[in-house]
Amino acid sequence: MTEAADPAPLSDRPAPAGRNYRLLTAAAIITGLGTHGALIAAAFAVLQAGGDGGDVGLVAAARTAPLVLFLLIGGAIADRLPRHRVMVAANALNFLSQGAFAWLVLAGDPQLWQMMLLTALCGTGQAFFNPAAEGMLMSSVSGEQAGRAFALFRMSMQGAAIGGAALGGAMIAAMDPGWVLAVDAAAFAVAGALRAFLDVSHIPSREPGGGLLADLREGWQEFVGRPWLWAIVAQFSVVVAAVGAAEAVYGPLVARDELGGARPWGFALAAFGVGTVAGALLMMRWKPRRLLLAGTLCVFPLALPSAGLAVPLPVEGLCAVMFVSGAAIEVFGVSWMTAMHQEIPEEKLSRVSAYDWFGSVAMVPVATALAGPVESVVGRGQALWGCAGLVVLVTGAVLFVPDVRNLTRRTSSAEEPAVVPPVIPLVSADAEGAVGRLG
């Protein structure tokens, strides 16, 4: 059961877009404006403090390590507690950690360990926020228009990323990166206040279970019983690591050494955001029947930015490949969210989403931490070509999974998906218990 929908609109807003959907979208826009600039600011704050590529990688890894460590717990908690409370608490932690990071940078001479600690606190907040947010969004829409609603949500979020990345790059070029971090902290505070007004009365109360571990086992059973689910999560564990190393570590270094500084890199990231908006507009009109086949084919272009940085392409060329990869990943993102919404029971959404996020980001801390040493051994260009090759290799491999090729969009006349079999427990019969994505 979902919240009551607004009267049928005349605009492009999907029919299921009720109050929760609008609040979630507004909050995502606000945090998107702050976060995409802050990601650039954090890298340049490290470089400004005298750090090198290895230090940038360590700070990036410090953000992702607690994200990996606490994601599964965050997913189980989000399926037990009201999801909006988990989201608000996570936003409060992000506000405090980013505010302290901004103060340190503006005060001058921040130490590497301090930046790593505060970034780790921000990652901890995201570990609890992401599964709750994904479950909340999926429970706020219903029916055949769900895919269109997800596309509009992602288009709004990515539109904010365009402004956030471009504004962040321009602000860093004109002033201290600490001010960009301060804007991000303020954005978390405002977004958390909006999310406090989310209504969870439409979500059925959870029956008392066997505890946190039992919830995790139930989610794991749901996860491993669906070949399309674990295969794509395994694929993205490599894809996200490769793209993360290329864009979080090598991208700022190429921008500094070859492109002229932070502003061109901000433009490139903004071009990625423009591409995601174009992809979302496409997905508001296009409903591919084979959801995951269409989405997976659109993962191949994610190799283009790494290859473009390896050349390196001039700013215009880099912006072009970032645009293409942004549009492509949005096709995947909407298709993936639609498949999750269609196939996963509502009461298990946050736990399954936590396993999704966990698998997808598990290798990122290792990849970002090793990016600097690998560059020292093989060179930056070869490391970037390696990132591009990994994306192509694992994406080709996942197409050999039949359910990835054949899972079909369910229509109102179809009670069950055409291909995906029932969940087959791969653990003991009494097991109970419980995944996000790039883009």
Side-chain angles (χ1 to χ4, degrees):
M1 180 178 181
T2 57
E3 60 180 330
D6 288 344
L10 297 177
S11 68
D12 279 346
R13 193 180 71 192
R19 179 173 176 272
N20 277 2
Y21 180 90
R22 293 193 296 271
L23 283 171
L24 288 165
T25 303
I29 291 172
I30 292 169
T31 52
L33 285 169
T35 298
H36 284 80
L39 291 174
I40 307 172
F44 279 90
V46 175
L47 296 174
Q48 179 179 281
D52 56 16
D55 294 330
V56 172
L58 287 173
V59 172
R63 179 186 182 94
T64 314
L67 179 62
V68 174
L69 183 62
F70 295 112
L71 261 173
L72 299 183
I73 297 174
I77 288 176
D79 274 341
R80 280 180 165 263
L81 301 178
R83 288 175 180 143
H84 69 309
R85 293 183 182 175
V86 178
M87 296 166 70
V88 171
N91 284 165
L93 178 58
N94 290 145
F95 161 69
L96 293 172
S97 60
Q98 288 294 78
F101 195 175
W103 180 83
L104 278 175
V105 174
L106 291 171
D109 196 29
Q111 301 300 304
L112 180 62
W113 72 267
Q114 294 172 324
M115 292 186 283
M116 290 179 65
L117 175 62
L118 292 170
T119 302
L121 288 175
C122 193
T124 301
Q126 289 303 112
F128 287 87
F129 176 85
N130 288 346
E134 191 155 308
M136 194 73 206
L137 176 64
M138 291 187 184
S139 70
S140 71
V141 298
S142 62
E144 291 186 45
Q145 291 298 311
R148 193 175 177 209
F150 296 145
L152 181 58
F153 174 85
R154 291 173 64 91
M155 181 178 69
S156 302
M157 182 177 66
Q158 302 295 359
I162 300 170
L167 181 61
M171 288 180 67
I172 296 167
M175 61 186 69
D176 197 289
W179 289 112
V180 183
L181 296 169
V183 169
D184 188 36
F188 277 119
V190 175
L194 287 176
R195 288 163 176 145
F197 291 99
L198 290 168
D199 180 13
V200 296
S201 61
H202 66 286
I203 300 176
S205 300
R206 309 289 187 245
E207 294 295 330
L212 189 64
L213 290 178
D215 285 350
L216 289 172
R217 288 196 302 271
E218 185 179 350
W220 174 252
Q221 180 179 346
E222 191 77 28
F223 176 73
V224 298
R226 300 179 185 272
W228 61 269
L229 185 57
W230 58 257
I232 288 182
V233 171
Q235 170 204 9
F236 267 79
S237 68
V238 177
V239 170
V240 176
V243 173
E247 297 190 4
V249 180
Y250 299 137
L253 294 174
V254 173
R256 182 191 65 182
D257 298 339
E258 307 286 345
L259 303 178
R263 187 189 295 268
W265 184 234
F267 288 151
L269 293 178
F272 179 88
V274 174
T276 62
V277 172
L281 284 171
L282 171 64
M283 293 305 288
M284 289 184 68
R285 299 291 186 268
W286 182 40
K287 295 182 178 181
R289 182 170 178 271
R290 296 191 181 186
L291 285 167
L292 296 181
L293 177 61
T296 300
L297 290 174
C298 287
V299 178
F300 284 108
L302 286 185
L304 293 176
S306 297
L309 288 168
V311 172
L313 293 176
V315 175
E316 296 81 5
L318 185 60
C319 287
V321 299
M322 292 288 277
F323 174 87
V324 171
S325 64
I329 196 57
E330 202 64 18
V331 175
F332 171 83
V334 174
S335 298
W336 178 255
M337 292 182 72
T338 304
M340 291 272 285
H341 179 267
Q342 174 178 291
E343 303 297 329
I344 308 300
E346 192 281 331
E347 69 275 8
K348 299 177 183 177
L349 276 172
S350 289
R351 279 168 288 171
V352 174
S353 176
Y355 278 103
D356 177 12
W357 277 101
F358 178 83
S360 298
V361 303
M363 293 177 63
V364 173
V366 176
T368 52
L370 291 178
V374 169
E375 178 188 9
S376 299
V377 173
V378 303
R380 189 183 300 163
Q382 292 301 316
L384 282 163
W385 282 118
C387 291
L390 283 172
V391 172
V392 173
L393 179 65
V394 298
T395 302
V398 83
L399 289 173
F400 286 95
V401 178
D403 289 344
V404 172
R405 299 193 307 270
N406 298 326
L407 187 145
T408 57
R409 182 186 299 271
R410 189 181 307 173
T411 63
S412 58
S413 61
E415 295 298 324
E416 298 295 337
V419 175
V420 179
V423 176
I424 302 173
L426 300 183
V427 290
S428 60
D430 61 345
E432 303 175 21
V435 267
R437 174 91 34 260
L438 179 78

